[in-house]
Amino acid sequence: MIDLSEGDLGDAVTRLWWKRLTDFWQLEFYLDRQDPAFGEMFLMDEDLLNWWTGRADEVQAAYAAR
């Protein structure tokens, strides 16, 4: 097990949020493969990001809790 500080965990959560925010692979699959399932996945991820963004402090606190 790696012991990470609360600051490191907060940074990791922020980086994961940013990765999810800027990752559009579902749209690439949707457009390149013409598969509507990936469009649905994009919308589900959008819902998650909206939820996560509105509760960023709570999400970071949950990950930092030991």
Side-chain angles (χ1 to χ4, degrees):
M1 184 169 141
I2 299 173
D3 190 25
L4 298 174
S5 70
E6 190 172 321
D8 289 338
L9 289 170
D11 182 58
V13 171
T14 300
R15 289 172 185 265
L16 181 58
W17 171 82
W18 183 253
K19 182 181 185 317
R20 298 283 188 257
L21 188 66
T22 59
D23 193 7
F24 297 106
W25 70 269
Q26 303 98 330
L27 287 181
E28 292 172 7
F29 274 55
Y30 174 75
L31 296 171
D32 292 344
R33 299 179 185 193
Q34 300 297 310
D35 187 338
F38 291 100
E40 291 294 320
M41 291 175 73
F42 180 77
L43 294 176
M44 288 188 305
D45 276 359
E46 178 188 18
D47 289 341
L48 172 62
L49 283 169
N50 282 325
W51 179 89
W52 189 338
T53 301
R55 295 167 180 80
D57 292 339
E58 294 173 51
V59 174
Q60 284 194 347
Y63 274 90
R66 294 176 189 252

